[in-house]
Structure formats: C-alpha cells, structure tokens
Amino acid sequence: MKDNSICLFASKEYHLLYWMAQHEIDTTDGPMVKFSQTELAKECECSPATINKLLAALRKANCVENKKRSNYCVTETGQKVITKMEEIKVLIGGI
C-alpha cells in the first residue's frame, strides 16, 4: 500500500500547497486564495488539468478546502504540513 502522506510532502502537491499559503488574502470569510484553476495553472506553469489533480489530492488529504468557485483556503491541517516541512528543511540544512 502506498503511503500518501509521504508522497504528498515531497511532491508537486506540497509545492502548490506552500504557494497557496503564501498567496492567501484576508476576507470576511477568513483567509482565501482567490485564483481560478486556470490562473493557478499559469502561476505554477502547468496545465489546468494538472492543477485539478493536485487540488484533488490536497482536498483528499484535508490540506485545502474549496470554499466557493475560485476560492480556496489552506486548512489547519495544511498549515501544519507546511510547518512540519519547514522544520524538516531546517534539520536537513535548508535544502
């Protein structure tokens, strides 16, 4: 059986999660990433289909929620993933 948690952290999914966390803006509904999948694809230099797959994996891992059309939020779980990955970067020398 494949361990999805390990695959998530060393993947394009993690890089998208990190990017989204860096681009959240404060709204009345809380922090949101207000980008369509097409806009995310352009920013991440990949296809919209790839973004759709990456977002599906992040939603399945409970790292991202789709609040409204083109509005995403990084969940508490997603924030914890980013925090742990930053700790790992420090342990391995910032690679």
Side-chain angles (χ1 to χ4, degrees):
M1 179 187 288
K2 190 174 180 181
D3 184 347
N4 288 330
S5 61
I6 292 171
C7 293
L8 178 67
F9 302 139
S11 66
K12 291 179 182 178
E13 288 90 347
Y14 171 72
H15 295 289
L16 177 59
L17 176 66
Y18 184 83
W19 186 92
M20 291 176 76
Q22 298 300 310
H23 290 84
E24 283 185 315
I25 58 170
D26 289 325
T27 70
T28 55
D29 296 324
M32 293 281 177
V33 179
K34 293 186 160 218
F35 283 82
S36 69
Q37 288 187 16
T38 302
E39 292 167 326
L40 287 171
K42 188 174 181 180
E43 290 292 326
C44 297
E45 299 178 349
C46 62
S47 72
T50 298
I51 290 294
N52 189 36
K53 289 177 187 175
L54 298 175
L55 285 170
L58 289 170
R59 282 192 300 268
K60 185 176 179 180
N62 194 33
C63 290
V64 171
E65 289 180 0
N66 187 221
K67 292 293 188 180
K68 298 177 186 174
R69 184 180 173 109
S70 300
N71 287 315
Y72 303 93
C73 103
V74 177
T75 65
E76 184 178 334
T77 300
Q79 292 294 347
K80 287 179 181 178
V81 167
I82 292 168
T83 299
K84 288 294 180 187
M85 288 301 293
E86 292 300 312
E87 291 173 10
I88 291 168
K89 277 186 192 178
V90 170
L91 287 173
I92 61 175
I95 296 176

